[in-house]
Amino acid sequence: RIVDFPVSVVLPAGGTGERTGLQTPKQFCSFLGRPLISFTIQTFERVSWIQNIVVVVAKENMDMMMDIIQRFQHKKVQVIPGGSTRHRSICNGVMALGEEERSADDKPKVVIVHDAVRPFVEEDFLHKIAVAAKEQGAAGATRPLVSTVIATTSEGYLDHSLERAKYRASEMPQGFTYDVIYQAYQRCTESDLEFGTECLHLALQYCGTNAKLIEGPPTLWKVTYKRDLAAAESIIKEMLSQSTCLLTGESTPGVRSADVFQKAFGALDMKLDVIPDLMGDNARYLLKAWNFIQVSFHSSCLSEVEDILVALDATNQALLHPPIVIWVHLKRTDEKSMALAESATIMNLASTAKLRNILLYGIEVHGSEDTDRWERSAPKVAEMASALIRDRNPALVGQLLQA
Amino acid sequence: RIVDFPVSVVLPAGGTGERTGLQTPKQFCSFLGRPLISFTIQTFERVSWIQNIVVVVAKENMDMMMDIIQRFQHKKVQVIPGGSTRHRSICNGVMALGEEERSADDKPKVVIVHDAVRPFVEEDFLHKIAVAAKEQGAAGATRPLVSTVIATTSEGYLDHSLERAKYRASEMPQGFTYDVIYQAYQRCTESDLEFGTECLHLALQYCGTNAKLIEGPPTLWKVTYKRDLAAAESIIKEMLSQSTCLLTGESTPGVRSADVFQKAFGALDMKLDVIPDLMGDNARYLLKAWNFIQVSFHSSCLSEVEDILVALDATNQALLHPPIVIWVHLKRTDEKSMALAESATIMNLASTAKLRNILLYGIEVHGSEDTDRWERSAPKVAEMASALIRDRNPALVGQLLQA
Ligand SMILES: [Mg+2]
Ligand SMILES: [Mg+2]
């Protein structure tokens, strides 16, 4: 789905986030080592037909925001200072898009306004909003009401309840032709800028544009409370858990172990892509998978793991999310004496990898000389590896766990 | 705060939970090994002035519900079959409270209606609702609207937006005198029972009772989507992380280590209660704390840990949430050879403890003969212990981690 007209995004991120119960405004709260707003920017950045993203932040957060842009290597982003209210901030963003130094061609046809704290909006839905906005002048996302809406008397008693089916909750994103949103902000009053919240309302009142309303998916939800940060983190972790590579090497026992592990992980609803290594065509998994499990029958060394770490580091993927590497070492019973040296080696590797946002763990399986024996451990390996992958816990890197 | 009149609760739990995107209705989804509805029941059960709780479930879930009541040893609960709609289910619950076998004294003065999927309601707020219901005939929780509410034209365009300040979202709990809710359900129509959702509305329409509206805290929120289950889990885990006991024994090095660990955990915002053991008066911590860290300078044995496990098991606390026990072993450098035996011992203990819902982990610190050396490891111990406590991950029990 291509959009053949220029689209820009205004992302007001000036809120103070009192409702989260956290000191940091919620758009700057981090999970998996990255602030929420960076996840939202990433969402827009990867939509090919979006030309640029204007992030509007409070003056005192300009430096922090510039730092985030640089650290996570965001593209297409312009950061500008916000106003004292949400409307003033959005207005600043719209005006920045119209500045004279832009050529006429460069001026967006459609402006999408979104919230910095709704990171999960999907390209498909943005497409619907952009197209409807171009056609109708304005378009906005809605959701069904979750609760009954009631009117209260001035004394705090129930006056009446609204018929739920006739109303919707107005959500983000919203889209406007540049002309509509520009004129709306030109014509609206100081009181609108000070107390209003709803851009659709300005478009209606000052441009006579009845916005097209489009019901969005539940993923449009807004990170409002502290609990929502936990929910957002769990969604990202769940997504990252979906793509795991099992690297077996080319040795016969390695290749044979693939079936055993696929079955064990399958029982936990985890699908594995099995490859010998990341050479040649398989290098593409470096950009597709977020989890790598290296099966090893050698006591010798962690060189295969080192190769994965080097290759991952070269991709820059770890900038966005922490990839996980798990070394599953099937040892012979007589290899016990190696334990301490291995333990130190993996701990050192893991410390270095962690500095580059790659999380490395080890799992030892005993009795590799006896196929029946180690195969009995496979479900335990899968249980632990799956837990490490789902939790992505940086405090446990470098540990050599026992299956 | 005492309530000097009889109060009962009706908990409709018949929903099918389509919105979570899960197969199991959301009230039966589990986290930390326990279904959501059991958390909600527990909330009401521990309020001394609530006499009984009627849980209304779909016929096909009666057996499962009875099993939950038994497994988690819930008290004061009656399970009855629901109707085809929410109102019919609540109506069944109200009728069950009025059945003839009850004496007049036993009939509740006030009935609180709540949702099975709002586990975090607090006693204080229930008190407000109960008292207001007794005084006014009906009372209901509200929350400010999160989004602007808009009316749509029949073609799907914006008609107008409501002035947010005049409206509220109607939430749960709601309270009614028995007479009001009973009469409301006696007098309402089949169409109300079939299509209505709001008890406050029936009380107004059929009894002329304008409910008192009371703004509730954000914790009243309803577990609706899959992400809300993650949020609920994080809230419970956070709560359980707040109470950690450090057991040091009575030896001089143990007692001295307390300062070091308190400082290291303090840097991670974790407060420790330090006690030598759980003997005598300190046995009260078994009912107060959810996390126990045993510091040990002996290579000999895990007997102190075994004592904790036995004592915890005797309290039945593990029925409600999984307590965590962490063995922190400060070893001398010459004790390396013990590693394998210890590893097997803690794994066995942990497997047995897990069957009783107690999660046991180990952390080894090397160089206990050199105070400077092991003290440098304290931040790492605290980081790992804090991660284990916050994650409560059953897949990693029995591991002997290296600090
Ligand atoms: Mg309701
Ligand atoms: Mg809004």
Side-chain angles (χ1 to χ4, degrees):
Chain A
R1 281 182 180 173
I2 285 173
V3 174
D4 59 358
F5 49 88
V7 178
S8 292
V9 173
V10 173
L11 217 50
T16 55
E18 332 169 321
R19 280 190 289 191
T20 49
L22 298 169
Q23 293 212 317
T24 314
K26 53 198 181 304
Q27 63 275 24
F28 297 117
C29 287
S30 287
F31 50 90
L32 290 168
R34 192 147 67 101
L36 182 56
I37 189 156
S38 169
F39 289 92
T40 311
I41 290 172
Q42 189 197 342
T43 299
F44 287 101
E45 196 172 47
R46 60 189 169 196
V47 175
S48 61
W49 47 266
I50 287 178
Q51 329 269 284
N52 62 332
I53 304 159
V54 177
V55 180
V56 194
V57 298
K59 276 198 194 71
E60 62 268 33
N61 292 327
M62 287 285 287
D63 286 349
M64 176 172 32
M65 194 63 225
M66 295 306 292
D67 187 57
I68 291 170
I69 302 296
Q70 195 179 31
R71 223 173 109 208
F72 300 103
Q73 300 182 12
H74 289 303
K75 313 287 181 228
K76 308 200 260 188
V77 178
Q78 181 185 354
V79 180
I80 66 164
S84 54
T85 64
R86 180 175 158 82
H87 264 327
R88 291 190 209 278
S89 290
I90 299 173
C91 180
N92 287 4
V94 171
M95 297 308 147
L97 287 171
E99 273 166 11
E100 294 136 78
E101 61 258 47
R102 290 180 196 274
S103 70
D105 279 0
D106 205 29
K107 227 172 245 183
K109 175 71 189 166
V110 164
V111 179
I112 291 178
V113 181
H114 193 63
D115 287 324
V117 292
R118 303 191 197 238
F120 300 110
V121 61
E122 283 151 23
E123 177 165 347
D124 262 16
F125 192 74
L126 291 171
H127 184 271
K128 284 184 194 166
I129 290 287
V131 170
K134 176 160 179 271
E135 280 168 13
Q136 313 292 339
T142 65
R143 288 284 302 152
L145 293 174
V146 177
S147 310
T148 304
V149 174
I150 54 182
T152 63
T153 67
S154 55
E155 295 81 25
Y157 290 89
L158 175 65
D159 189 71
H160 63 277
S161 46
L162 299 186
E163 233 185 284
R164 225 194 264 194
K166 290 191 180 157
Y167 296 89
R168 303 279 180 278
S170 171
E171 309 286 344
M172 292 279 153
Q174 297 176 350
F176 306 87
T177 56
Y178 184 82
D179 293 338
V180 163
I181 188 96
Y182 181 86
Q183 291 304 332
Y185 277 117
Q186 288 288 327
R187 294 171 188 166
C188 76
T189 65
E190 279 298 306
S191 163
D192 287 318
L193 290 176
E194 192 65 29
F195 303 110
T197 54
E198 188 55 86
C199 302
L200 298 183
H201 177 75
L202 298 186
L204 177 57
Q205 188 168 357
Y206 296 104
C207 306
T209 303
N210 290 72
K212 174 73 181 168
L213 302 174
I214 307 179
E215 184 167 320
T219 46
L220 289 184
W221 123 97
K222 188 172 174 174
V223 173
T224 307
Y225 299 102
K226 193 177 166 188
R227 63 174 188 256
D228 293 315
L229 286 168
E233 181 174 325
S234 83
I235 289 170
I236 300 279
K237 284 183 173 174
E238 173 79 16
M239 184 266 284
L240 297 177
S241 302
Q242 301 306 313
S243 55
T244 302
C245 265
L246 185 76
L247 294 93
T248 60
E250 310 220 313
S251 76
T252 314
V255 173
R256 279 194 193 149
S257 73
D259 285 346
V260 177
F261 285 121
Q262 277 193 301
K263 208 174 134 194
F265 280 85
L268 303 173
D269 285 327
M270 277 186 75
K271 216 178 79 19
L272 301 180
D273 286 315
V274 179
I275 52 178
D277 50 42
L278 294 163
M279 298 295 120
D281 196 34
N282 286 329
R284 72 184 190 277
Y285 284 100
L286 288 165
L287 299 175
K288 275 176 55 179
W290 287 102
N291 316 289
F292 300 86
I293 301 176
Q294 174 69 56
V295 174
S296 161
F297 282 82
H298 315 287
S299 72
S300 53
C301 59
L302 279 142
S303 66
E304 296 138 328
V305 166
E306 287 181 74
D307 291 346
I308 301 175
L309 296 176
V310 169
L312 267 176
D313 199 29
T315 63
N316 264 352
Q317 288 286 87
L319 264 181
L320 296 179
H321 307 288
I324 283 188
V325 179
I326 301 175
W327 183 54
V328 175
H329 184 194
L330 292 108
K331 324 176 68 158
R332 292 196 313 276
T333 311
D334 59 8
E335 279 181 285
K336 280 175 187 169
S337 56
M338 299 292 295
L340 274 167
E342 273 168 19
S343 178
T345 310
I346 193 168
M347 188 64 86
N348 286 335
L349 273 181
S351 303
T352 313
K354 191 178 174 183
L355 298 175
R356 298 167 181 281
N357 206 28
I358 302 172
L359 308 179
L360 170 64
Y361 312 87
I363 300 178
E364 276 190 348
V365 185
H366 297 275
S368 66
E369 72 279 10
D370 174 352
T371 309
D372 285 350
R373 178 167 165 197
W374 76 256
E375 286 190 8
R376 280 196 303 276
S377 301
K380 179 73 184 160
V381 172
E383 187 197 8
M384 288 197 292
S386 151
L388 293 171
I389 286 169
R390 288 180 207 275
D391 286 357
R392 261 161 230 273
N393 194 329
L396 301 181
V397 298
Q399 298 296 327
L400 200 47
L401 306 174
Q402 306 297 311
Chain B
R1 281 180 180 175
I2 286 172
V3 173
D4 59 357
F5 48 88
V7 178
S8 291
V9 173
V10 172
L11 217 50
T16 55
E18 333 166 321
R19 279 189 290 191
T20 48
L22 298 168
Q23 293 212 317
T24 313
K26 54 198 180 303
Q27 63 273 24
F28 297 117
C29 287
S30 286
F31 50 89
L32 289 169
R34 191 146 68 99
L36 182 57
I37 189 159
S38 169
F39 289 92
T40 310
I41 290 172
Q42 188 198 342
T43 298
F44 287 102
E45 195 172 49
R46 61 189 167 195
V47 175
S48 61
W49 46 266
I50 287 177
Q51 329 267 285
N52 62 330
I53 304 159
V54 178
V55 180
V56 194
V57 296
K59 275 199 194 70
E60 62 268 34
N61 292 328
M62 288 284 288
D63 287 349
M64 177 173 31
M65 193 64 225
M66 295 307 290
D67 187 58
I68 291 169
I69 302 297
Q70 197 179 29
R71 222 171 111 211
F72 300 102
Q73 300 183 14
H74 289 303
K75 313 288 181 227
K76 308 199 259 189
V77 178
Q78 183 186 354
V79 180
I80 66 164
S84 54
T85 64
R86 181 176 157 80
H87 263 327
R88 291 192 212 277
S89 290
I90 298 173
C91 179
N92 286 4
V94 171
M95 297 307 148
L97 287 171
E99 271 163 12
E100 295 136 77
E101 62 256 47
R102 290 179 195 272
S103 69
D105 279 1
D106 206 28
K107 227 171 248 186
K109 175 69 188 168
V110 163
V111 179
I112 291 177
V113 181
H114 194 64
D115 287 324
V117 291
R118 303 191 198 237
F120 299 110
V121 59
E122 283 151 23
E123 176 165 347
D124 261 16
F125 192 75
L126 290 171
H127 184 272
K128 284 184 195 165
I129 290 287
V131 169
K134 176 157 179 274
E135 279 169 14
Q136 313 291 338
T142 64
R143 287 285 302 154
L145 294 174
V146 177
S147 309
T148 305
V149 174
I150 54 182
T152 63
T153 67
S154 54
E155 295 81 25
Y157 290 90
L158 175 64
D159 190 71
H160 63 277
S161 47
L162 298 186
E163 232 185 284
R164 221 194 265 195
K166 289 190 180 159
Y167 296 88
R168 303 277 180 281
S170 172
E171 308 286 343
M172 292 279 155
Q174 296 175 349
F176 305 88
T177 57
Y178 185 82
D179 292 339
V180 164
I181 188 95
Y182 181 86
Q183 291 303 334
Y185 277 116
Q186 288 288 324
R187 295 171 188 166
C188 74
T189 66
E190 280 300 306
S191 163
D192 287 319
L193 290 176
E194 193 65 28
F195 304 110
T197 54
E198 187 54 86
C199 300
L200 298 183
H201 177 76
L202 298 185
L204 177 59
Q205 186 168 359
Y206 295 103
C207 305
T209 303
N210 290 72
K212 175 72 183 169
L213 301 174
I214 307 179
E215 182 167 322
T219 45
L220 289 185
W221 123 97
K222 189 171 173 174
V223 174
T224 307
Y225 299 102
K226 193 176 166 190
R227 63 174 187 255
D228 294 316
L229 286 168
E233 181 174 325
S234 83
I235 289 170
I236 301 277
K237 283 182 173 174
E238 173 78 15
M239 185 265 287
L240 297 177
S241 301
Q242 301 306 313
S243 56
T244 302
C245 265
L246 184 77
L247 294 94
T248 60
E250 309 220 315
S251 76
T252 313
V255 172
R256 280 194 193 148
S257 72
D259 285 346
V260 177
F261 286 121
Q262 277 194 300
K263 208 174 135 195
F265 280 85
L268 303 173
D269 285 327
M270 277 188 73
K271 218 179 78 20
L272 301 180
D273 286 316
V274 179
I275 52 177
D277 51 42
L278 294 162
M279 297 295 120
D281 196 33
N282 286 329
R284 71 183 191 279
Y285 284 101
L286 288 165
L287 299 175
K288 273 177 57 179
W290 287 102
N291 316 289
F292 300 86
I293 302 175
Q294 174 69 56
V295 174
S296 161
F297 281 83
H298 315 287
S299 71
S300 54
C301 60
L302 279 142
S303 66
E304 296 138 328
V305 166
E306 289 182 74
D307 291 346
I308 301 174
L309 296 176
V310 170
L312 267 177
D313 199 29
T315 63
N316 264 352
Q317 288 285 89
L319 264 180
L320 296 179
H321 308 287
I324 283 188
V325 179
I326 301 175
W327 184 52
V328 175
H329 184 193
L330 292 109
K331 318 175 74 159
R332 290 196 314 273
T333 311
D334 57 8
E335 280 182 282
K336 282 176 187 169
S337 56
M338 300 291 295
L340 274 169
E342 271 168 19
S343 180
T345 309
I346 193 167
M347 188 65 86
N348 286 335
L349 272 180
S351 303
T352 312
K354 192 178 175 182
L355 298 175
R356 299 167 179 279
N357 205 27
I358 302 172
L359 308 180
L360 170 64
Y361 312 86
I363 299 177
E364 276 190 348
V365 185
H366 296 274
S368 67
E369 71 280 10
D370 174 352
T371 309
D372 284 350
R373 178 167 166 199
W374 75 256
E375 284 189 8
R376 279 196 304 275
S377 302
K380 180 73 184 159
V381 173
E383 188 197 7
M384 289 197 291
S386 150
L388 293 171
I389 286 170
R390 289 182 206 273
D391 287 356
R392 263 163 228 273
N393 194 328
L396 301 181
V397 297
Q399 298 296 328
L400 200 46
L401 307 175
Q402 306 297 312

